[in-house]
């Protein structure tokens, strides 16, 4: 028997933006399969959701391993009999000036940030098409829209997500499956905490709203796109960036 709740599969759900997305979707009544490499951290999110009555399960998967990611999604579909929402959120950076960038830093970022999203979409969509309802939400970045010095690999992966998402949106629109990107600006998480104070000050200067974003700012947009209210939105890139790209 299929799970009565809509099922959402969220990568990178153990911390930062992904954790906020998992908790927001659980609060909205989804059963969430939260994925990351560190199972212990994921268990903390499962517990936090359960304390508020939310239903989350943790799954340790390295999304850069295409076979493992495909198997994990197939297992979730088999277990729950459905897959309604897919959020490709997990991502990494390996920053450096492009003239000195090693192939490995390019490959690691492209595999984790872009190829994984292709693999997971491919694994999840057949079930969505059958149900004639589905939401694919890919977490891109303003770096994919306007570029960023020192992030040629990261910006390429995030721009690639945009082209991929728009193409998937066109292929699946007739089946009432939507695909959209959310492009965060500068959000306070582990990923941005490592940046030196002088870089943070410079970034703040180009944010019209004059503050860094919070994980809940992104989670709110993802929760909206995952809802029935967003059924007429597809192929879009929605920047949640304090006005950086206006
Ligand atoms: P974060 O705090 O560094 O968290 C990254 C998440 O991805 C963690 O849950 C991590 O868990 C998981 N992850 C990384 N590599 C993985 C792998 N190979 N397999 C499975 N899970 C993996 O990052 P964040 O700031 O929340 O960013 C989330 C997304 O938003 C990313 O795609 C990022 O590019 C995008 N974004 C962030 C910002 C920002 O300002 N923070 C801005 C624009 C876009 P494990 O390490 O346990 O695997």
């Amino acid at each position: 028997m299929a799970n009565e709740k809509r099922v959402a599969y969220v990568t990178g759900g153990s911390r930062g933006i992904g954790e906020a997305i998992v908790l927001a979707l659980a609060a909205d009544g989804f059963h969430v399969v939260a994925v990351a490499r560190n199972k212990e951290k994921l268990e903390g999110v499962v517990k936090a959701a359960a304390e508020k009555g939310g239903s989350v399960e943790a799954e340790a998967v390295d999304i850069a391993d295409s076979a493992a990611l495909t198997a994990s999604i197939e297992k979730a579909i088999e277990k729950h009999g459905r897959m309604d929402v897919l959020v490709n959120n997990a991502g990494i950076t390996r920053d450096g000036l492009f003239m000195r960038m090693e192939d490995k830093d390019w490959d690691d970022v492209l595999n984790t940030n872009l190829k994984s999203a292709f693999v997971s979409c491919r694994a999840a969509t057949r079930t969505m098409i059958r149900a004639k309802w589905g939401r694919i939400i890919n977490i891109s970045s303003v770096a994919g829209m306007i570029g960023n010095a020192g992030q040629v690999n990261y910006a390429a992966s995030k721009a690639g997500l945009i082209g991929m998402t728009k193409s998937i949106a066109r292929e699946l629109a007739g089946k009432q499956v939507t695909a959209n990107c959310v492009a965060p600006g500068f959000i306070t998480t582990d990923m941005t905490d490592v940046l030196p104070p002088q870089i943070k000050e410079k970034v703040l200067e180009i944010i019209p709203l004059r503050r860094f974003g919070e994980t809940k700012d992104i989670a709110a947009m993802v929760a909206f796109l995952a809802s029935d209210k967003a059924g007429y939105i597809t192929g879009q890139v929605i920047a949640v960036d304090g006005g950086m790209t206006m």
Side-chain angles (χ1 to χ4, degrees):
M1 261 253 293
N3 198 319
E4 281 175 12
K5 291 186 170 207
R6 281 185 173 156
V7 172
Y9 188 96
V10 181
T11 69
S14 60
R15 53 195 161 86
I17 292 170
E19 175 180 5
I21 292 170
V22 169
L23 295 175
L25 292 179
D28 282 354
F30 289 88
H31 172 75
V32 186
V33 182
V35 169
R37 290 164 301 185
N38 186 325
K39 185 90 187 261
E40 219 180 298
K41 286 234 166 174
L42 282 171
E43 293 296 357
V45 180
V46 171
K47 203 165 155 244
E51 278 163 11
K52 294 188 169 169
S55 172
V56 177
E57 70 181 274
E59 170 107 343
V61 181
D62 179 354
I63 60 155
D65 177 342
S66 297
L69 177 57
T70 302
S72 163
I73 290 177
E74 285 174 353
K75 193 176 90 180
I77 292 170
E78 171 104 22
K79 180 172 172 189
H80 298 291
R82 61 194 299 169
M83 176 65 68
D84 303 280
V85 177
L86 171 64
V87 185
N88 287 302
N89 161 77
I92 57 166
T93 50
R94 296 283 181 271
D95 297 352
L97 293 176
F98 98 94
M99 283 174 69
R100 284 191 228 132
M101 187 170 286
E102 307 272 350
D103 284 12
K104 188 173 171 10
D105 290 335
W106 175 271
D107 291 342
D108 285 353
V109 168
L110 269 288
N111 276 337
T112 304
N113 296 6
L114 179 57
K115 188 178 175 194
S116 69
F118 157 69
V119 167
S120 62
C121 287
R122 188 179 56 188
T125 45
R126 200 181 304 277
T127 305
M128 292 179 180
I129 288 169
R130 253 192 233 123
K132 295 194 177 64
W133 199 98
R135 301 276 191 266
I136 293 167
I137 303 160
N138 293 328
I139 307 301
S140 178
S141 167
V142 292
M145 300 169 75
I146 59 173
N148 195 19
Q151 290 200 309
V152 67
N153 48 359
Y154 182 78
S157 73
K158 296 299 185 179
L161 274 177
I162 292 171
M164 189 191 81
T165 305
K166 285 176 180 282
S167 303
I168 290 174
R170 287 184 185 278
E171 286 195 27
L172 301 185
K175 309 291 181 192
Q176 303 307 312
V177 175
T178 67
N180 293 287
C181 278
V182 175
F186 191 107
I187 311 300
T188 304
T189 68
D190 292 351
M191 187 178 268
T192 47
D193 280 349
V194 296
L195 295 172
Q198 61 271 30
I199 300 266
K200 288 186 185 168
E201 277 161 33
K202 277 200 161 171
V203 174
L204 204 49
E205 282 169 20
I206 58 163
I207 303 174
L209 283 178
R210 291 282 178 269
R211 67 170 178 89
F212 298 135
E214 295 173 44
T215 57
K216 65 176 167 51
D217 295 324
I218 308 303
M221 177 53 69
V222 172
F224 170 67
L225 288 173
S227 74
D228 283 315
K229 290 178 189 151
Y232 204 55
I233 302 170
T234 197
Q236 302 303 311
V237 183
I238 297 146
V240 181
D241 65 355
M244 257 171 114
T245 54
M246 73 165 94

